[in-house]
Amino acid sequence: VECFRGETFPSRRYFSDNLLGYSPMASKPDTTPANKNSKIPTAQDVSTSGGVWAPTSAKRDKITELRLALEEGQETLDDAATPEQKLDLDLADGLIAIVKTVDQGGRSQDLLLEEFDAWLEKNESELPEKLDRTQWEEYLQRVAQHAETLQYRRSTECLREVRDFYEWEQNDDDETLVKVNDLHPSGEAFDGCVLRFQFGLIQATADHLSKSWEELTTVTDADIDRAAVQDVELESQASTLSRDKLHAVLRAFATGTCADRVEAIWKLTDRDDDGLLDQVEMDRVAKLSLAPVQNSLEALFQDCIEAYPVRTELPVLDEEQEVESKPPGWRARRLEKKTQKRLLKIFAGALKYHFEDEVEMPHRLRCIYAWSEKAHQDNQTESVLVDSHGASSVLGAGRKRYVELEPKISHPEFLEVQQEHFSHLDRVGEEILKSFREDLLVDQGTGRQNQELRRDCFIFLTVVSLIDGIIVWL
């Protein structure tokens, strides 16, 4: 590179120049045919090159600021919380414990879940293999109603003890780090909460799928272009969906892991059963696996804050003790209502913004598609001309249009990159609730900073007023 003085400097290219998300002023990515031996960038490559997605966020920067402001004797932000604020953190920890268990498969051996699976098997013999729109929506409404019935056979009393669920921490004598073991709690209350969330997830899945007929049956533009190249007439919307694939999705959300849910929805979206999806369909799979979890978490959180007052600790009782129930005063009711409203607002923000903004889900999905080693079309874009009537240009003359057919991606190819760069999809519920807990820490820390600022302002104004009084008196 030659500068204005005539001096030359070697041109330098960085790894991030070829990564999506880099500055628009950077050079275009290399468009040469993909090499089968090419290496998919690792998470370390992405973080060191920069320019792909933000390594931090305003929330994490604020948490770092609050940690630096901790007083002597306080090791974590939990230590700086007041007893009432710790109740909110305990609520988040309890919900994380419940949802983490469900993300890993939940309680698959429960009698109620076995009853639900038997109910699905019974309907398999009564329903046709292919469901039209009316059958699809009516059947999913029945599924949601049946799941709700089974859910309410578990009492809401178990939700009163959510704040008592947490992960055990053990100190290793040989190391200074604290190791957090995987949570495998037992007990009727915890099992009841897990099962209630599992049936709530089934209900949310059925409700969401019943409203997603258009999204699931709409044929993408890429598939229409491929059909035009092959001189095949293809309807813009499918008329039926598979009953067996639907049941696989319901079972995956009932007793499967997050990865099982993605795989089941992948197969439901793959209408031609070739195992391949284009980029639009791949994005659709990720969003469909996320939406039911968000809806069911919202319902679970609402049930938890209504099951027991959020500003009252659950008393520890002996067998012979009884609780004296006293009606709360108007101040306590007002505080309870105000706290519930604040918690619901913070939780709604975590549901709405975590995956979309903080995780940058749309951008990560674009990168997964771009970086995956797709065997279809040898990972190359095919450029063809088709006429306006849908037949290939070699079949006759007429008005033609130019189309580019992007390669499709298979589920194993998707997993290869997703597990490296979008592992959040394997712990959807846990990710959302941990974001909610971070939002609580930021809200609590900001409140402490504002309180300290008001105190300093009051002291300053008091001192200034005293000095002015003395000057006037003199």
Side-chain angles (χ1 to χ4, degrees):
V1 179
E2 185 175 353
C3 68
F4 69 96
R5 293 182 178 177
E7 300 178 359
T8 59
F9 298 93
S11 176
R12 180 178 298 178
R13 291 180 59 84
Y14 296 93
F15 173 79
S16 58
D17 289 352
N18 293 326
L19 296 180
L20 294 180
Y22 192 66
S23 169
M25 301 301 295
S27 58
K28 294 183 179 180
D30 187 11
T31 57
T32 56
N35 183 358
K36 293 184 178 181
N37 296 323
S38 63
K39 180 182 178 183
I40 297 174
T42 63
Q44 183 178 2
D45 294 334
V46 172
S47 62
T48 54
S49 63
V52 184
W53 43 69
T56 184
S57 64
K59 181 169 68 175
R60 294 190 181 95
D61 292 341
K62 184 64 177 181
I63 289 178
T64 302
E65 175 190 340
L66 294 174
R67 285 172 178 167
L68 294 175
L70 289 175
E71 299 178 358
E72 185 178 357
Q74 297 176 347
E75 298 181 357
T76 64
L77 293 177
D78 292 33
D79 298 333
T82 64
E84 290 185 345
Q85 292 174 342
K86 287 182 180 179
L87 291 176
D88 299 337
L89 297 176
D90 290 341
L91 174 63
D93 289 336
L95 290 172
I96 290 173
I98 295 169
V99 175
K100 181 178 179 180
T101 303
V102 176
D103 283 348
Q104 296 173 353
R107 297 289 191 260
S108 58
Q109 304 299 323
D110 187 80
L111 293 178
L112 291 179
L113 288 170
E114 293 177 359
E115 180 179 340
F116 176 76
D117 190 70
W119 185 83
L120 289 181
E121 291 181 358
K122 178 183 177 182
N123 283 276
E124 286 180 358
S125 60
E126 300 176 355
L127 292 172
E129 293 184 3
K130 299 293 183 179
L131 304 176
D132 60 24
R133 181 167 189 167
T134 302
Q135 294 169 330
W136 175 272
E137 294 177 350
E138 290 179 353
Y139 177 60
L140 284 173
Q141 289 177 1
R142 290 169 49 203
V143 172
Q145 292 173 359
H146 187 64
E148 184 179 9
T149 301
L150 294 176
Q151 182 188 40
Y152 281 102
R153 285 168 60 178
R154 282 283 183 173
S155 173
T156 57
E157 290 294 318
C158 59
L159 298 177
R160 295 162 55 94
E161 304 181 28
V162 169
R163 294 182 184 85
D164 291 336
F165 307 143
Y166 59 94
E167 293 183 344
W168 291 97
E169 295 186 358
Q170 294 181 351
N171 291 325
D172 194 337
D173 296 333
D174 298 331
E175 299 180 6
T176 58
L177 298 178
V178 177
K179 294 185 176 181
V180 181
N181 297 331
D182 291 336
L183 180 66
H184 299 286
S186 60
E188 185 177 354
F190 183 82
D191 290 342
C193 292
V194 169
L195 286 170
R196 282 189 62 85
F197 180 61
Q198 284 182 270
F199 283 111
L201 187 57
I202 297 171
Q203 183 181 352
T205 304
D207 288 336
H208 188 73
L209 289 178
S210 67
K211 302 173 184 176
S212 303
W213 175 267
E214 294 285 344
E215 186 177 5
L216 288 169
T217 56
T218 300
V219 180
T220 62
D221 294 339
D223 285 339
I224 293 177
D225 291 337
R226 284 190 175 87
V229 171
Q230 299 171 4
D231 195 20
V232 176
E233 291 291 336
L234 185 63
E235 297 292 335
S236 61
Q237 192 169 17
S239 59
T240 60
L241 287 173
S242 171
R243 172 205 64 195
D244 295 337
K245 292 181 179 180
L246 170 61
H247 281 180
V249 172
L250 294 174
R251 288 188 172 99
F253 275 91
T255 58
T257 63
C258 292
D260 296 333
R261 302 169 195 168
V262 173
E263 183 178 4
I265 297 177
W266 189 286
K267 293 179 180 178
L268 177 64
T269 308
D270 179 24
R271 290 181 296 273
D272 54 4
D273 295 325
D274 62 355
L276 301 176
L277 301 179
D278 57 32
Q279 186 175 359
V280 175
E281 293 171 324
M282 183 195 72
D283 295 348
R284 186 183 302 164
V285 168
K287 293 176 181 178
L288 284 175
S289 66
L290 179 63
V293 180
Q294 293 175 319
N295 296 337
S296 58
L297 276 177
E298 184 177 9
L300 175 66
F301 188 79
Q302 183 73 44
D303 291 341
C304 286
I305 64 175
E306 291 178 355
Y308 197 77
V310 295
R311 279 294 170 262
T312 305
E313 293 188 27
L314 192 66
V316 180
L317 301 177
D318 296 330
E319 295 181 357
E320 299 181 355
Q321 281 184 322
E322 296 183 358
V323 181
E324 296 182 4
S325 58
K326 297 180 180 180
W330 68 270
R331 291 182 182 274
R333 292 195 303 269
R334 182 173 179 271
L335 176 62
E336 178 71 18
K337 185 176 180 180
K338 182 179 179 181
T339 305
Q340 287 187 3
K341 184 178 179 180
R342 180 180 61 85
L343 290 177
L344 287 171
K345 181 179 179 181
I346 296 175
F347 192 76
L351 287 175
K352 183 176 181 180
Y353 298 114
H354 178 66
F355 271 92
E356 193 70 19
D357 296 339
E358 296 178 16
V359 179
E360 299 182 76
M361 175 176 168
H363 184 44
R364 288 181 185 269
L365 290 174
R366 288 195 298 269
C367 290
I368 289 174
Y369 178 81
W371 295 341
S372 61
E373 296 288 350
K374 298 175 282 293
H376 183 243
Q377 298 180 182
D378 198 21
N379 201 15
Q380 299 183 50
T381 300
E382 291 184 356
S383 301
V384 296
L385 283 173
V386 297
D387 62 24
S388 58
H389 300 289
S392 177
S393 60
V394 299
L395 298 180
R399 186 176 180 180
K400 299 177 176 58
R401 58 189 177 92
Y402 175 79
V403 297
E404 291 186 346
L405 302 180
E406 299 290 341
K408 290 189 172 186
I409 183 174
S410 67
H411 185 248
E413 293 165 348
F414 169 80
L415 286 179
E416 186 179 7
V417 188
Q418 177 261 320
Q419 292 176 351
E420 179 72 23
H421 297 288
F422 193 21
S423 59
H424 316 73
L425 205 59
D426 294 332
R427 51 180 189 275
V428 173
E430 183 182 355
E431 275 287 324
I432 294 173
L433 286 169
K434 286 186 175 180
S435 177
F436 167 64
R437 195 181 197 280
E438 291 178 348
D439 290 338
L440 284 177
L441 292 174
V442 170
D443 181 74
Q444 295 171 2
T446 303
R448 290 192 297 271
Q449 288 180 334
N450 293 338
Q451 184 179 6
E452 183 178 355
L453 178 62
R454 287 192 295 268
R455 183 191 62 190
D456 293 342
C457 290
F458 176 76
I459 294 174
F460 173 76
L461 293 175
T462 302
V463 172
V464 170
S465 300
L466 290 175
I467 294 175
D468 288 345
I470 293 174
I471 293 176
V472 172
W473 182 74
L474 294 176

